[in-house]
Amino acid sequence: MNFANPKVSQLIELAIAEDIGDGDHSSLGSIPANEQGKARLLVKDVGVICGIHLAQHIFKRIDSTLVFEPHIEEGTHVKVEDIAFIVCGNIHSILQAERLVLNFMQRMSGIATLTKRLVGIIDGTNARLLDTRKTTPGMRIFEKYAVVVGGGTNHRMGLFDMVMLKDNHNDYAGGITAGVRQIKKYLENRNKSLKIEVETRNLEEVKEVLNVGVDRIMFDNFSPEEMKEAVKLVDGRCETEASGGITENSIRSYAETGVDFISVGALTHSVKSLDLSLKQF
């Protein structure tokens, strides 16, 4: 993760301000100011750990004198009672960073865990697993980072780095052909080089997209049988993506159609956090 990225720094600062406000009065009122101590991150679940580097960055941002000792590498498969890291130093500082570190790491580890599991299910096929923009507001950079740690691939980061004409765009634009032609003209006029992806709902729309030409076609809510036919129809003329209601139980059947990418919104919008705890010792 690039901590020099202003967006990353801003989000961390907002999270610190949200939690600490004008001070951690629980610690300030109960523990002497210069008291020193140790804490360790204890894993209480099975999965893929994610956020070790972010945790170190947050502890150092709260207090540069804290000593951070990682015991597990980012992306490691962990089990109950594993120790991810130890942090030593001022107890007030450790307690100020505690909840922020846990909130980030638990969610990111949950995303990395689910991603790793789905990547394993489609292993041996041509398909790569994609995330979506269905992320927690303010957490997108961190959640998409966790997808990569889990072995997945990032789709576009936002509306600015790739064109995706979905059904609403196409309907408002007067149809797929009109929408794509207008987008190509728009990009040319602004000297922008962005990939164009178009969502399709049936084989007739796939044929229409092929006629007008784009970088990737999304097959939305196709059955595996329909998708196999659509992939054959495209025949390598552009990239292909499966999307819409794909679950852990069905993802292998979609991957076996020969599609290039499979996007799964559940990677970030309904993931179960990994149980972690920061404990004094």
Side-chain angles (χ1 to χ4, degrees), residues 219-259:
F219 310 129
D220 188 46
N221 288 303
F222 282 43
S223 69
E225 293 74 22
E226 291 170 329
M227 194 160 297
K228 188 176 293 186
E229 190 174 349
V231 169
K232 185 177 179 181
L233 182 63
V234 172
D235 194 28
R237 283 179 280 178
C238 66
E239 294 176 336
T240 56
E241 178 183 335
S243 182
I246 298 171
T247 67
E248 190 170 337
N249 293 328
S250 66
I251 191 168
R252 179 76 190 189
S253 62
Y254 282 98
E256 289 174 345
T257 65
V259 72

Side-chain angles (χ1 to χ4, degrees), residues 18-258:
E18 175 185 60
D19 201 37
I20 296 176
D22 69 349
D24 172 14
H25 302 301
S26 302
S27 299
L28 291 168
S30 64
I31 301 168
N34 296 318
E35 196 79 8
Q36 302 291 296
K38 296 181 178 181
R40 58 185 180 179
L41 189 80
L42 188 65
V43 178
K44 302 168 69 177
D45 211 339
V46 175
V48 176
I49 202 75
C50 183
I52 299 286
H53 306 310
L54 178 58
Q56 181 174 16
H57 182 83
I58 291 170
F59 278 116
K60 290 292 187 179
R61 162 59 186 83
I62 294 294
D63 183 346
S64 62
T65 69
L66 290 175
V67 177
F68 186 91
E69 302 173 1
H71 283 221
I72 293 175
E73 291 185 4
E74 191 86 303
T76 299
H77 192 273
V78 294
K79 60 185 185 303
V80 177
E81 296 189 356
D82 278 348
I83 297 171
F85 62 75
I86 292 175
V87 61
C88 312
N90 183 274
I91 293 175
H92 283 195
S93 300
I94 291 172
L95 292 176
Q96 283 180 6
E98 174 187 7
R99 177 46 53 193
L100 183 55
V101 165
L102 288 173
N103 284 350
F104 274 115
M105 286 196 67
Q106 286 179 314
R107 180 155 184 83
M108 291 167 69
S109 297
I111 291 168
T113 298
L114 177 58
T115 302
K116 189 75 170 180
R117 187 160 68 244
L118 295 186
V119 166
I121 292 173
I122 64 175
D123 185 44
T125 71
N126 179 63
R128 283 185 284 170
L129 183 66
L130 295 178
D131 52 26
T132 70
R133 285 171 49 241
K134 297 175 182 177
T135 54
T136 309
M139 281 284 289
R140 182 171 295 174
I141 290 174
F142 306 104
E143 292 180 349
K144 282 182 170 281
Y145 168 80
V147 168
V148 173
V149 169
T153 301
N154 291 151
H155 207 306
R156 57 181 180 163
M157 181 59 69
L159 296 171
F160 54 87
D161 57 348
M162 182 178 181
V163 170
M164 182 187 289
L165 298 181
K166 304 196 79 175
D167 54 358
N168 281 337
H169 295 97
N170 297 329
D171 291 342
Y172 282 129
I176 288 173
T177 300
V180 172
R181 285 176 176 169
Q182 286 159 200
I183 271 293
K184 288 182 176 182
K185 185 176 181 180
Y186 169 88
L187 294 175
E188 183 181 354
N189 289 341
R190 284 158 181 78
N191 197 28
K192 280 189 170 293
S193 179
L194 297 178
K195 282 192 170 184
I196 301 173
E197 178 172 5
V198 176
E199 178 184 274
T200 59
R201 295 166 285 194
N202 52 59
L203 291 175
E204 288 306 311
E205 289 189 345
V206 172
K207 292 175 184 176
E208 184 177 356
V209 176
L210 288 172
N211 285 334
V212 72
V214 297
D215 299 289
R216 186 183 301 174
I217 299 177
M218 175 191 286
F219 310 129
D220 188 46
N221 288 303
F222 282 43
S223 69
E225 293 74 22
E226 291 170 329
M227 194 160 297
K228 188 176 293 186
E229 190 174 349
V231 169
K232 185 177 179 181
L233 182 63
V234 172
D235 194 28
R237 283 179 280 178
C238 66
E239 294 176 336
T240 56
E241 178 183 335
S243 182
I246 298 171
T247 67
E248 190 170 337
N249 293 328
S250 66
I251 191 168
R252 179 76 190 189
S253 62
Y254 282 98
E256 289 174 345
T257 65

